[in-house]
Amino acid sequence: MFTWNRIAVRFAYEWRDDSGQWYRSYGNENWEFQDDGLMATRFAAINDLPNSEAERKYHWLLDRRPDDHPRLSDLGL
């Protein structure tokens, strides 16, 4: 959602640590921008949950999400 100088986003991504443990990080962020376009405020609430390789929901390589991939709501996130 975008209104004037504020944006609110919901996100989810997956990553693994150096030991190979997978995590899913998800949450919400609120950004507020100054008149010159620079960020003035960022508030983030992020949850990191460990998961297994079998529980992963994202399987594409370093690129944008494919157009036909389910949305966060479709995945229950």
Side-chain angles (χ1 to χ4, degrees):
M1 170 189 249
F2 170 76
T3 305
W4 299 100
N5 66 337
R6 295 181 181 161
I7 297 174
V9 295
R10 185 170 62 128
F11 64 88
Y13 57 89
E14 293 173 332
W15 56 280
R16 64 181 172 185
D17 64 17
D18 292 337
S19 74
Q21 171 64 55
W22 281 97
Y23 294 86
R24 181 174 306 114
S25 298
Y26 66 94
N28 298 292
E29 288 196 41
N30 297 300
W31 304 335
E32 185 173 348
F33 297 90
Q34 303 175 96
D35 289 338
D36 62 6
L38 297 176
M39 186 179 290
T41 306
R42 174 183 178 240
F43 178 78
I46 304 170
N47 300 290
D48 297 323
L49 295 176
N51 62 354
S52 68
E53 175 95 26
E55 295 172 305
R56 291 184 57 212
K57 297 181 183 279
Y58 307 115
H59 297 280
W60 64 89
L61 299 177
L62 298 173
D63 201 353
R64 64 184 284 278
R65 184 184 76 195
D67 292 337
D68 61 347
H69 194 277
R71 299 168 51 112
L72 295 178
S73 297
D74 298 331
L75 294 170
L77 301 173

